[in-house]
Amino acid sequence: MEPKQLRALLRQVRAGRLPVAAAMERLAELPYAELGFAKVDHHRRLRTGFAEVIFGTGKNVADTVAIAERALAHAPAVLATRLSDAQVSALSRRFPGALHNERARIVRIGRAPRPAYRGTVTVVSAGTSDIPVAEEARETLAAFGGRAKPCYDVGVAGLHRLLHRLPELRRAAAIIAVAGMEGALPSVLAGLVPCPVIAVPTSIGYGASFGGLAALLAMLNSCAAGVTVVNIDNGFGAAMAALRMLRD
Amino acid sequence: MEPKQLRALLRQVRAGRLPVAAAMERLAELPYAELGFAKVDHHRRLRTGFAEVIFGTGKNVADTVAIAERALAHAPAVLATRLSDAQVSALSRRFPGALHNERARIVRIGRAPRPAYRGTVTVVSAGTSDIPVAEEARETLAAFGGRAKPCYDVGVAGLHRLLHRLPELRRAAAIIAVAGMEGALPSVLAGLVPCPVIAVPTSIGYGASFGGLAALLAMLNSCAAGVTVVNIDNGFGAAMAALRMLRD
Amino acid sequence: MEPKQLRALLRQVRAGRLPVAAAMERLAELPYAELGFAKVDHHRRLRTGFAEVIFGTGKNVADTVAIAERALAHAPAVLATRLSDAQVSALSRRFPGALHNERARIVRIGRAPRPAYRGTVTVVSAGTSDIPVAEEARETLAAFGGRAKPCYDVGVAGLHRLLHRLPELRRAAAIIAVAGMEGALPSVLAGLVPCPVIAVPTSIGYGASFGGLAALLAMLNSCAAGVTVVNIDNGFGAAMAALRMLRD
Amino acid sequence: MEPKQLRALLRQVRAGRLPVAAAMERLAELPYAELGFAKVDHHRRLRTGFAEVIFGTGKNVADTVAIAERALAHAPAVLATRLSDAQVSALSRRFPGALHNERARIVRIGRAPRPAYRGTVTVVSAGTSDIPVAEEARETLAAFGGRAKPCYDVGVAGLHRLLHRLPELRRAAAIIAVAGMEGALPSVLAGLVPCPVIAVPTSIGYGASFGGLAALLAMLNSCAAGVTVVNIDNGFGAAMAALRMLRD
Amino acid sequence: MEPKQLRALLRQVRAGRLPVAAAMERLAELPYAELGFAKVDHHRRLRTGFAEVIFGTGKNVADTVAIAERALAHAPAVLATRLSDAQVSALSRRFPGALHNERARIVRIGRAPRPAYRGTVTVVSAGTSDIPVAEEARETLAAFGGRAKPCYDVGVAGLHRLLHRLPELRRAAAIIAVAGMEGALPSVLAGLVPCPVIAVPTSIGYGASFGGLAALLAMLNSCAAGVTVVNIDNGFGAAMAALRMLRD
Amino acid sequence: MEPKQLRALLRQVRAGRLPVAAAMERLAELPYAELGFAKVDHHRRLRTGFAEVIFGTGKNVADTVAIAERALAHAPAVLATRLSDAQVSALSRRFPGALHNERARIVRIGRAPRPAYRGTVTVVSAGTSDIPVAEEARETLAAFGGRAKPCYDVGVAGLHRLLHRLPELRRAAAIIAVAGMEGALPSVLAGLVPCPVIAVPTSIGYGASFGGLAALLAMLNSCAAGVTVVNIDNGFGAAMAALRMLRD
Amino acid sequence: MEPKQLRALLRQVRAGRLPVAAAMERLAELPYAELGFAKVDHHRRLRTGFAEVIFGTGKNVADTVAIAERALAHAPAVLATRLSDAQVSALSRRFPGALHNERARIVRIGRAPRPAYRGTVTVVSAGTSDIPVAEEARETLAAFGGRAKPCYDVGVAGLHRLLHRLPELRRAAAIIAVAGMEGALPSVLAGLVPCPVIAVPTSIGYGASFGGLAALLAMLNSCAAGVTVVNIDNGFGAAMAALRMLRD
Amino acid sequence: MEPKQLRALLRQVRAGRLPVAAAMERLAELPYAELGFAKVDHHRRLRTGFAEVIFGTGKNVADTVAIAERALAHAPAVLATRLSDAQVSALSRRFPGALHNERARIVRIGRAPRPAYRGTVTVVSAGTSDIPVAEEARETLAAFGGRAKPCYDVGVAGLHRLLHRLPELRRAAAIIAVAGMEGALPSVLAGLVPCPVIAVPTSIGYGASFGGLAALLAMLNSCAAGVTVVNIDNGFGAAMAALRMLRD
């Protein structure tokens, strides 16, 4: 409740136009109103007309469809991530116009918002096996009104491929760098570009990658100053972090 | 080498004003010129008149002073971090005007640059024991031309203290959230503010904190979307990440 | 053997009414009688007319049904936990009146006991994915005569939802706080309520949650004094701990 | 602010006895008043006339004394834990009547509160090396108005010693079970007593104890239902948990 | 080659009855003969007429049967462990008289040897879920001529059950103690009996058991002197260790 | 671009035979030409007429075949590793002459190159379960023009078998030592031979092998000087390392 | 209480020679008498006239001396292990005849018992750095009446040294194999000898030995059947295990 | 014993020139002669006139000097590594001509051998803090007759510095790549050069480097084929591995 509104309310009480009981009812929300405001404001900025994200993991098919239906009642669009084949089929049947990104295991229902953030996020992947995570980031950006551009398969073992893309990388407003194995890509990139580099370790690797732990630790220990890191395989989280950085 | 320069060079060759051998010598630098350009540009943005950072850990006293002297020959200022008492004494004796932040174990020699980034970074700490890491972040920001503001001792076990500071937290351009123990602060914060939240786990904790591992994992697994994480106790890295986010 | 009984026995020996051999036989149990007494007493308090818990994991369908049948021969009810679909079907066919909680993967056969403990346990979950573990706790409490009340989906990233429930949370006799990911919920709760807070980490999370390790470590390192922790996903254990706390 | 108080305030506004500006000022505290109330109430219960706990670790001698002085200005007593020898000396010199427990590395300044909780907490230790942690728990209980009783050196390798103490253990309102090495004590105890068992792993052990990890994991995996666990070496936390369980 | 044989050989050379070339051929084996002797001797003692153990894991059905056939050509019996259902079926069809222990996932083909070791090994299990590992140990003992006796479901949370079996446990020549979860059983046992206690951690447990790591660490850190430990779930290895201890 | 070519180009410019615009176009590739040269040269040496390796893991059947087709358009052969049964079938149908190594899960399409490296690599395996990894190494060597020789099932528990092969092991130009479980083989070997020993830990083992971690750590800590290690189960990587060592 | 004694007691009651009250008093000890018997018997066997072991770690000098004095009041000798220099000095001053083993950090006060176990234990060490742990085992054996024989510096990287000692190793009643680094020694030994092999990992190693974890895991995963393992650096425990194996 | 020698011996026996007893004595060494031969041969190649390496860690000053004296009695030189200041002083006093490398913590006594291996090993370090480990490698190479060349401070965050050195790196016979933090250097290098790349992780790093674990895992997971890895901080081992690769 803004001070202005509170003052108006108290004046109504004094003037006898608002009964004490009614005033109390409205004031009962005060303790959380400030927080709620924060929440809504936050969402407005970050989501720009996009009301719901559904994480598919661990939800059965019927529930997934039902949640999507409920969400569309009060939101222009829905982004469903980490979907199984069965969940994808059910959502595609129920919402014929839905967009399906197979590699990212994502379905988007409803129209994408107009771009509402500064600049373009370049989503870089080290290997072809890292692309599903990179695509999760790219689709999330698109769904929330961010501009995204892929730059895939430029791992550090083939440095010439990476350097070939350098001019465009240096124009990015932010870079999401997706890599498994030894996770060196963000360190090399951050030495070459001035923009934020969000590192996403992937669980791609054999043996001593320990489900992405090797890449995660490498990224946290980057010798290039200013790299930040999100959870293993968390393309969604990287995209949300980029949006926080690029709101006006 | 810019296209313009290259064209001029070739025209000089064609015109016979530049011998082939001399042209070859200048072109020999081409493979690295593009990279060097990137590097310099990157530094200009990030460092704004600040040439050198010296990590004190593992360096002896004499070397530390000598490196600082060399750096000041070509740079307006030096930031020395993670210093021992002996290193601090030696630097203070050699550079009488140096600024010393005891809690951050940092010495800055030379004048601070004028602010050169968007907005203000609020550096938040969960407990009093986390303040040294928070101060490392704050001093690094100041030394590179960023605006910083502390907000300390607002851990999640005393939620009222945190919520009391909410209005100012919501005005931050970016938040660096420093916490040890269970590392919950960034998750709570990111649910309340729209700006980037850079989480810094600290090694503060007893027993099963395992040197900051508990807080690190908690932050990577944050239930609030868009939190990014840096290495344990790495206040310096968090500040450098914030500067990447706030350059114009 | 109570002193009274022992004295009576010895008097019978002295009076010649009990042969020495028969007395010896009865005394043979003495070394373990004290322990057995403890055991029974313990169970009487904790279980209040509930004789058996069957952990379904790793048992085949036939054995599960057979164990339940045997248990019901000397106990008014049975609680079977961590059941597969096949185990649930078999138990439901064999015991038509059995109660089945699908999310908790629990079947209860026989009537629930009357409440026999102080106060009400509020079972709080951070996310919707944590609900199965929370329901395991709630069903266990109900099956042993405890009063339980759910308060779900109040994770710390949406603090307003949690604070909205604060008045009822502060009335709880004990709180079971179930959370995966960064496991921050118990720390925030314990700063707001005076009652015992039993933290249950769940294996919910992606990548660096490492099967619930992240939440477990976070809870053990809680910055709020007096939080205690049980094993990952162990809703049953949390309920049993609550009952120990609330017996009169 | 209680509803009663709010109603009175609004009635004063309506009656014209309280100006709108003054009413607004008082209502400004509303968002955090509920939380603050919780906080204070919580402390009143848990601490019963004891205002401050000072963790000595990482604080220098001068700061430790200064914090203690400030705390005593508004609190009847102070409990300082995890103190170095130098901190102990300085506190003892400054506060001549202070009580010093050498094994627990604790100093208490000011009078102990009268017992204010139900029953007695028995603090059990497995070995003599675990006694410092047990004493930290015992002193904390005493300092906050809890009744505590030691039962030391009853590890499971000498079962007869433990069973010898069984009658008194069964009378405890709660048990704090402190053990390093294989951490089996709480599991054995919880099978013998009906009360809450709070397990405290210690860092005592050689080699593969990994700083208490072995005992911690053992306790979390206890085969006895209803054991809860706190952080390694955290006698203080165990005591605070016991107080939550035993408030009326 | 025994000294006696070597002397005879050289005398034959000197006497001209053995050509140098033939002598060289026989001596060529010398470097490894000593080792081979060790090997054979070792096996004779340990295996007493039992030639082959086949670990089923990772072998396909056809290979498993073929290896068993080859082994039976030069050995009186075969012990096949860690078998899948398909492997069991194939072996049972091919060798109609084979003995199958379903819980141990073991098939034994051929007759068992006569007992050839001192005393009896008591195989103790903490819970019913640990029985498959205990049975693997028991079957291995039987197959190699050791005497074995089961004592199951005597975990430390029900101490009276364990103490009830104490007289027979104290008569054992060696004890194999199989336990998952908190792994406390060997520690309690070793305080009660004078014989060797071989601890076998199992992977039974939820969440923070981490596949048996909790029990393994507990056993390695046993507060009872003289406990030794084998790999997780390794009932076979524990039996082989017991046989080493009990050969005459 | 070789200096010679650059000189020729500049001379053409000076002579007016090459317009400045055309020269610029050709020079535009310079920044990466040096790197590209490195790349090609590197591959020529390492691969000797073998253009592509396809890692099967995580690729669907159709993609696997398509990638192989594309690769064969510009390369004489293809090596496909870590293939599923379905991938093997599809490749065998599409390329009838392809060579299939079932144990190694490898398919090679096209003719093998002639040997192009110094000496012979002996591929040693400790147990029969380690053979698939050893075969992956052997097939990779063959496919890239290296000479390979197997020496399997010579683990350290049967030292006589290993010593029996010593003469041939000492003739190897390099040894790839593949072992799971306790991973001792490379340590023993490196004490017996003067050539490079490349250790490959495998994930073979029970319980506390933790997916090959035990063998990996053992190999890194080898008491024999000069052992080097590759990732768990990485027979391919070990072969590539051997080729680096044996090029002329 | 033996059955014979119990019968006598009951007969006295029946005969009226023992009042019921006196009989009850004597029977009150029954619940723990059986356990106490076990305990004493166990110790008699294991310790044979040796009453106390004092672990020096974490005890101050005065306490260490005082405990030794108390122990000698009722025991013929004391073994103090893991002593600091200060503890050694104090014990040597107080007990002039005490035996001090500097490498083992052990002091023995009082006379050693006569050998009371079967055979001889050979204590083998891989490197010279492992000798302190080996000596702890050897001194413990000597102090409890076991025969011990050292065989040091026979690590697997110099196999010829180990094989040179093979004849004597094969005569051992049990082997304690002490090794750090890759921990391969017990695996090689167990393939060569028929007796029990007790493996002791040491914390000797660099970097990825992780305080002995590498050797510990290697020993648990030994490919030689029947190796058992004790805690890292636990020479004392290995000796106690050997004594359990060699009592008659 | 070579066949030639054996034949001669047997012929002497046959001719009656060598008594059977004497022949037996000489043949008694046969089992280990083959091994010893291997050993000596191995050392001759690897060490080329260099008899002893002394690891200083854990040795006291007097022992260190004494071992060096003994070694010099039968060897032309000694290499002492990982020395403390006190050890360095004592060795320098005793052997005035000794060479001391302060950063490598190495002392070499006696003359260096002449180069005896193919090519030159380039020792590359990522940061200045990694130099001590790099120098340990370089000194070890020099001491054993290898040619070494440093290339320091070329970490991947400043790619232009690394690429600037590319021509000389491509001429190396082998590269030892020393890096802490994220350990990316070997991956980038191996993509650029055809020679063997031996990766040495260092313990340099903050927080989540976990003593070099991050760099170690990164190197094991290198996306560039053919990288091999040694233990953390093990410059000595890397040098010994390089010598194995470069012997003729």
Side-chain angles (χ1 to χ4, degrees), chain C residues 124-161:
Chain C
V124 186
S125 91
T128 53
S129 308
D130 303 315
I131 291 178
V133 176
E135 285 287 288
E136 184 180 288
R138 209 179 54 74
E139 287 288 351
T140 302
L141 286 165
F144 284 90
R147 285 181 201 84
K149 191 173 158 181
C151 174
Y152 294 164
D153 201 15
V154 292
V156 302
L159 210 53
H160 58 294
R161 285 202 303 269

Side-chain angles (χ1 to χ4, degrees), chain C residues 41 118 190 195 221 229 231 244, chain D residues 118 190 195 221 229 231 244:
Chain C
D41 169 80
R118 284 192 288 114
C195 72
N221 285 283
V229 186
N231 203 343
R244 283 177 182 264
Chain D
R118 283 191 288 114
C195 72
N221 284 282
V229 186
N231 203 342
R244 283 177 181 265

Side-chain angles (χ1 to χ4, degrees), chain C residues 35 37-38 41-42 118 163 166 170 190 192-196 216 220-221 225-231 241 244-245 247, chain D residues 35 37-38 41-42 118 163 166 170 190 192-196 216 220-221 225-226 228-231 241 244-245 247:
Chain C
L35 288 170
F37 168 71
D41 169 80
H42 177 207
R118 284 192 288 114
L163 295 178
L166 192 51
R170 286 178 44 75
L192 297 171
V193 303
C195 72
L216 171 63
L220 288 166
N221 285 283
V227 171
T228 58
V229 186
V230 298
N231 203 343
R244 283 177 182 264
M245 296 173 196
R247 68 199 176 90
Chain D
L35 288 170
F37 166 70
D41 169 79
H42 177 208
R118 283 191 288 114
L163 294 179
L166 191 51
R170 285 177 46 74
L192 297 171
V193 302
C195 72
L216 171 64
L220 287 166
N221 284 282
T228 58
V229 186
V230 297
N231 203 342
R244 283 177 181 265
M245 296 173 195
R247 69 200 174 88

Side-chain angles (χ1 to χ4, degrees), chain F residues 60-84:
Chain F
N60 67 37
V61 168
D63 283 1
T64 308
V65 173
I67 295 171
E69 285 169 343
R70 269 203 305 278
L72 285 166
H74 58 83
V78 158
L79 182 75
T81 66
R82 313 239 168 176
L83 298 171
S84 65

Side-chain angles (χ1 to χ4, degrees), chain D residues 5-23:
Chain D
Q5 294 175 288
L6 180 56
R7 190 177 299 115
L9 183 149
L10 290 171
R11 282 177 177 163
Q12 287 186 301
V13 170
R14 187 166 61 172
R17 283 199 303 273
L18 186 71
V20 163

Side-chain angles (χ1 to χ4, degrees), chain A residues 159 187-192 223-225, chain B residues 35-36 39 42-43, chain H residues 126 153-165 182 185 188:
Chain A
L159 210 53
S187 296
V188 170
L189 272 173
L192 298 171
C223 58
Chain B
L35 288 170
K39 191 72 185 176
H42 178 206
H43 284 183
Chain H
D153 201 15
V154 292
V156 302
L159 210 52
H160 58 295
R161 284 201 304 269
L162 176 63
L163 295 178
H164 200 70
R165 309 290 290 270
E182 90 295 310
L185 181 59
V188 170

Side-chain angles (χ1 to χ4, degrees), chain H residues 138-214:
Chain H
R138 208 178 55 75
E139 288 287 351
T140 302
L141 287 166
F144 282 90
R147 286 185 201 80
K149 190 172 157 184
C151 175
Y152 294 164
D153 201 15
V154 292
V156 302
L159 210 52
H160 58 295
R161 284 201 304 269
L162 176 63
L163 295 178
H164 200 70
R165 309 290 290 270
L166 192 50
E168 74 182 270
L169 288 166
R170 286 176 45 74
R171 282 192 296 271
I175 287 179
I176 292 175
V178 182
M181 296 187 165
E182 90 295 310
L185 181 59
S187 296
V188 170
L189 273 173
L192 298 170
V193 302
C195 72
V197 175
I198 303 168
V200 190
T202 72
S203 53
I204 297 302
Y206 303 102
S209 117
F210 296 121
L213 178 63

